[in-house]
Amino acid sequence: MAEQTGPEIRDDRAAGRLSAYEDGEAVGVVAYFVMDGEPAGLVAVHTVVEPGHEGKGIAGALVREFYAMAGREGVPVVPLCPYAAKWASRHPGEAPEAPEELVERAKTQLASHPELY
């Protein structure tokens, strides 16, 4: 059996959380929502790594999996989270850019639903 590198990542779509776990402990999360309308998209709102777990690549692993998850679903990612946007700019091969109109629609949707943030 291959040794797992990096955190275990689990998606809780209903809660809008992609969480990273190490030894069963939650160590990081990407808060997100699924956009209404067509085309749909996954919108990364916030990326958080718990104190004491920074600098281990957890946030990068989360954002990488977020993009991979969107790719498997055939939908774009809108990285409204500053960390996710910065990660995407450094990994263009893994993080296709979302169309501008989708980004604007995501911002509007987030503004009208502050509970998503």
Side-chain angles (χ1 to χ4, degrees), residues 22-86:
E22 285 186 339
D23 301 321
E25 176 189 3
V27 294
V29 66
V30 171
Y32 73 94
F33 66 92
V34 179
M35 283 182 63
D36 295 334
E38 287 298 323
L42 295 180
V43 182
V45 178
H46 202 49
T47 304
V48 178
V49 173
E50 294 300 322
H53 295 278
E54 302 97 332
K56 297 180 180 179
I58 293 168
L62 279 164
V63 174
R64 176 173 277 121
E65 176 55 26
F66 191 70
Y67 272 93
M69 186 171 77
R72 290 189 298 271
E73 294 175 23
V75 298
V77 167
V78 179
L80 296 185
C81 160
Y83 178 86
K86 188 174 169 185

Side-chain angles (χ1 to χ4, degrees), residues 1-6:
M1 186 166 118
E3 186 176 317
Q4 182 179 346
T5 58

